[in-house]
Amino acid sequence: MARQAPQHSSDARLRASLWLVLERYWRQVRARPWMAALALLLPGIGNVFVFYVPPLAIARLLTMLAHDAQPSVQQLAGPVLLLSASWLGGEALWRLSSWLLARVEFHAISALYIEAMDELFAKDVGFFHENFAGSLTKRVLGYARRFEDVFDTSAMSITGNVLPVTFACVVLWRFSPWLILVLLSMLAVTFVIVRPLVRRRHALVRIREDASTALAGHVADSITNAETVRAFAREPEEATIHAKNVRDYTTKMLRSWDYQNTRVDIVTSPLYVAANTLGLIAALTLGRGHGIGIEPVFLTFSYFATATRVVWEFNRIYRVLETSLTDAAQFTELLLEPPAIVDANPVEPFKPQDTSVRFESVRFAYGTRKPLFDGFGLTIGAGEKVGLVGRSGGGKTTLTRLLLRFSDIQGGAITIGGQNIARIAQASLRDFIAVVPQEPAMFHRSITDNIRFGRPSASDAEVRRAAEMAHASEFIESMPEGYDTLVGERGVKLSGGQRQRIAIARAILKDAPILVLDEATSALDSESEKHIQQALWTLMKGRTAIVIAHRLSTVRRMDRLVVLEGGHIAEQGRHEELLASRGQYAALWEHQSGGFLQETVE
């Protein structure tokens, strides 16, 4: 029993994600009900005109010829005109339905692409640490793009078959209800026999799509880290992993195809033949027993041959819907778990009294680990510059992530200007804080775009002024395309120091009341650091600043230094006071070599 539980859980998640796909797709259909309804119905009506009305005309012609070897032109004109008019009308309806389908799908796919990104941005930062970028990209694209396959199949293959079969039943009813009973019985029998087979195939498709996602994730991961792969000469190992993933995916793909060919198709093919044979036998039996003429026999066979195509197409229709919805469900499965960090309901307007920051009896642990902070307290006054120092693992960066609500605390409170940050909108909170991380993120866009990310409404002149303050203008202007230079994915065309200067320019441009600097000058040479320290001091003037540094010389001028050790404040004070106290900070200062902390080996 224990082995079955994960499978049941997986099946339940799959069903839930599939229903969520259908609900989201149906929402897009309801957004344009009349256009969508016509797009769904017109292909079926067109099929009636093209495939079901012409046999009526031909049957009439056959009846005429059977009774009169030389019918008049006037007698022949009616059926011939009916035949041509129905074909032309059907073609016109198909063209109109294609035009409507394109517009419904255009609006729906656009909305779904936007919706997917909105859903991802609602996730907490930890979510992106747990998922490959390539895998997420595949899921987002599949979620929106697959709407086209689902809606096309619904219009062209489902209503495109249901409406004509209904029309055929109405016509055949005139001759005998038994004809309809035979037709519908064969369709029902096909459904009953094939249903368990396609359910099994659905499980194989699910396994195949999971393997496809893993393949895409590894490809994206390897490409993103191509420089590291080359630096360690690990191309053979990455190629081996890729080949393993390819074999896994293609094996599962072949298994689903073989199941289709050896199980499902082998069953549906005889059923298709049997349905048409029974239809012909029923028509001939009625003809002999009731003296029915050529017309009903011809119509019965013609309609059975056309209507029972759904027996053959049933598997194809199901396969398309199955593959499309399973692919789309790869994304909606991510939505089954709500975001870990959400805004309060309702949120309070963000109106802080000042820029002071307080950590009040904060308790926080990563997952099920021992709490890093337990009853932690720290007050940073408005306009105060505080340096957080200490060995790695003390909780310095975690404090700033909690302040930004990248993670939520399990107890206590964090306030800005006396207002609890858990009760305000995340966007309002983060607008109030400018961050320069140790490893700045760069977009594969121009330098101007990367700096302007700090404040999208900034003018070109403001962007250049921020770059000058960050001492980035010198290297930017030396580039062939200057501020229009593309920095490459993750900024690979720039050095570490250049990326940090652009990140500092971005923070300068944002001009936020609170600054968080996490080793903001760690990748700079001594000369550049000297200039940027001046720019940062200018930027910090009148603002609350939290500065993390391992290089103690960069924070010695702070208003206060807080030494963190294992999630606790070991000591705090000004640089001179801490040196005089001969405590942990003094020991760290003495152990520096070239301005960096030496990590002790435990």
Side-chain angles (χ1 to χ4, degrees):
M1 291 298 292
R3 288 187 176 182
Q4 293 299 321
Q7 182 62 42
H8 292 325
S9 175
S10 176
D11 290 343
R13 288 184 65 84
L14 175 58
R15 285 193 298 270
S17 57
L18 286 172
W19 277 113
L20 188 53
V21 170
L22 291 172
E23 187 274 328
R24 296 295 182 91
Y25 282 7
W26 177 241
R27 185 190 304 171
Q28 295 303 322
V29 172
R30 287 190 292 116
R32 292 164 183 80
W34 292 108
M35 182 180 290
L38 287 173
L40 288 169
L41 294 174
L42 289 181
I45 299 173
N47 285 344
V48 169
F49 280 114
V50 172
F51 297 112
Y52 289 82
V53 174
L56 286 172
I58 295 173
R60 176 58 57 188
L61 288 172
L62 291 174
T63 301
M64 288 181 185
L65 293 172
H67 290 86
D68 186 354
Q70 292 183 333
S72 65
V73 174
Q74 290 79 6
Q75 290 176 309
L76 296 174
V80 171
L81 289 174
L82 176 63
L83 180 69
S84 60
S86 65
W87 272 344
L88 287 174
E91 289 285 344
L93 289 174
W94 280 347
R95 299 298 170 265
L96 178 58
S97 67
S98 296
W99 187 88
L100 291 170
L101 280 168
R103 273 131 191 91
V104 171
E105 290 166 3
F106 163 78
H107 291 293
I109 291 172
S110 299
L112 290 168
Y113 273 129
I114 294 170
E115 178 185 283
M117 285 301 292
D118 289 342
E119 293 282 7
L120 285 186
F121 282 137
K123 295 290 187 180
D124 57 287
V125 174
F127 167 84
F128 296 95
H129 295 164
E130 299 293 331
N131 290 278
F132 284 119
S135 173
L136 292 177
T137 301
K138 176 184 179 295
R139 295 183 185 206
V140 167
L141 297 180
Y143 171 64
R145 188 180 60 243
R146 288 300 190 175
F147 179 87
E148 177 186 359
D149 297 330
V150 172
F151 198 68
D152 275 352
T153 302
S154 299
M156 299 296 184
S157 299
I158 297 179
T159 61
N161 279 307
V162 170
L163 289 179
V165 168
T166 304
F167 178 84
C169 289
V170 171
V171 174
L172 295 177
W173 182 272
R174 294 166 45 213
F175 306 123
S176 173
W178 287 103
L179 296 174
I180 302 170
L181 181 62
V182 171
L183 176 60
L184 297 182
S185 295
M186 289 306 301
L187 295 178
V189 167
T190 301
F191 177 78
V192 170
I193 294 176
V194 173
R195 186 169 181 266
L197 298 177
V198 295
R199 288 185 64 182
R200 167 59 182 159
R201 185 181 179 279
H202 183 73
L204 295 176
V205 170
R206 168 70 173 182
I207 294 171
R208 182 192 71 195
E209 290 303 314
D210 286 342
S212 173
T213 298
L215 174 63
H218 176 261
V219 169
D221 195 36
S222 296
I223 292 173
T224 300
N225 295 285
E227 188 171 330
T228 303
V229 173
R230 290 182 181 276
F232 284 84
R234 290 293 177 263
E235 293 92 340
E237 286 79 4
E238 289 300 302
T240 299
I241 296 173
H242 178 65
K244 178 183 175 182
N245 288 338
V246 169
R247 284 194 301 272
D248 182 54
Y249 169 64
T250 53
T251 298
K252 291 170 179 175
M253 177 180 66
L254 182 61
R255 188 185 307 161
S256 68
W257 288 353
D258 284 346
Y259 189 86
Q260 166 71 35
N261 296 327
T262 60
R263 300 287 184 86
V264 183
D265 286 350
I266 285 178
V267 171
T268 55
S269 296
L271 288 172
Y272 176 67
V273 175
N276 284 284
T277 303
L278 286 174
L280 180 59
I281 292 172
L284 292 174
T285 301
L286 288 171
R288 293 188 63 184
H290 299 83
I292 297 177
I294 295 175
E295 183 175 352
V297 173
F298 174 80
L299 284 176
T300 299
F301 181 75
S302 177
Y303 282 179
F304 263 71
T306 306
T308 52
R309 283 187 313 161
V310 72
V311 173
W312 181 259
E313 290 188 359
F314 175 78
N315 180 48
R316 181 191 62 81
I317 294 168
Y318 190 91
R319 186 168 67 244
V320 172
L321 292 177
E322 171 191 61
T323 301
S324 301
L325 291 174
T326 302
D327 190 17
Q330 295 272 317
F331 176 78
T332 54
E333 186 177 12
L334 301 174
L335 309 183
L336 298 180
E337 300 294 335
I341 312 297
V342 296
D343 288 337
N345 186 20
V347 296
E348 295 179 359
F350 188 33
K351 297 179 180 179
Q353 299 172 359
D354 50 39
T355 59
S356 63
V357 176
R358 291 190 65 188
F359 296 84
E360 304 173 4
S361 301
V362 168
R363 187 177 190 277
F364 175 75
Y366 285 105
T368 58
R369 285 187 263 174
K370 179 183 176 182
L372 175 59
F373 298 116
D374 196 356
F376 179 86
L378 175 64
T379 299
I380 301 172
E384 187 179 15
K385 285 76 178 164
V386 172
L388 302 180
V389 299
R391 291 185 176 88
S392 298
K396 303 182 295 295
T397 299
T398 300
L399 275 184
T400 62
R401 293 176 65 81
L402 294 177
L403 177 62
L404 289 159
R405 282 199 74 196
F406 287 164
S407 297
D408 266 345
I409 58 177
Q410 287 93 43
I414 302 174
T415 64
I416 293 178
Q419 197 165 1
N420 192 329
I421 65 171
R423 297 174 186 156
I424 61 178
Q426 296 174 67
S428 299
L429 167 68
R430 293 164 190 159
D431 268 344
F432 204 68
I433 304 171
V435 182
V436 181
Q438 183 174 0
E439 297 181 2
M442 295 287 119
F443 296 91
H444 185 21
R445 304 170 192 173
S446 70
I447 291 176
T448 294
D449 289 337
N450 272 280
I451 296 176
R452 187 177 276 132
F453 201 79
R455 180 158 53 90
S457 61
S459 65
D460 288 345
E462 290 173 315
V463 169
R464 283 170 168 75
R465 191 178 306 117
E468 290 168 3
M469 292 181 65
H471 290 268
S473 57
E474 294 90 342
F475 80 82
I476 294 173
E477 291 170 359
S478 68
M479 292 182 168
E481 297 182 51
Y483 283 84
D484 294 328
T485 301
L486 295 176
V487 303
E489 188 173 8
R490 296 181 298 120
V492 294
K493 294 182 180 179
L494 305 176
S495 68
Q498 289 172 337
R499 289 196 295 272
Q500 271 195 322
R501 276 182 273 181
I502 289 177
I504 292 170
R506 183 188 294 168
I508 291 172
L509 187 65
K510 186 173 183 179
D511 196 23
I514 296 178
L515 293 173
V516 173
L517 308 177
D518 189 353
E519 290 289 339
T521 61
S522 61
L524 301 176
D525 57 73
S526 299
E527 186 64 27
S528 296
E529 182 186 4
K530 176 182 176 182
H531 292 303
I532 292 202
Q533 285 284 358
Q534 296 172 354
L536 291 176
W537 275 105
T538 301
L539 177 62
M540 287 188 285
K541 187 175 181 180
R543 292 176 171 80
T544 301
I546 301 173
V547 182
I548 298 173
H550 282 90
R551 194 185 305 179
L552 300 183
S553 61
T554 63
V555 292
R556 59 184 297 179
R557 293 171 56 194
M558 295 287 118
D559 298 330
R560 180 164 43 121
L561 300 176
V562 177
V563 182
L564 292 179
E565 184 70 28
H568 300 280
I569 297 177
E571 56 184 343
Q572 57 182 315
R574 295 184 64 85
H575 171 72
E576 295 79 7
E577 296 170 348
L578 295 176
L579 286 181
S581 68
R582 306 301 299 170
Q584 192 173 86
Y585 178 82
L588 293 173
W589 182 266
E590 290 174 0
H591 281 99
Q592 281 193 351
S593 175
F596 292 94
L597 292 183
Q598 291 182 332
E599 299 295 339
T600 59
V601 179
E602 299 181 358

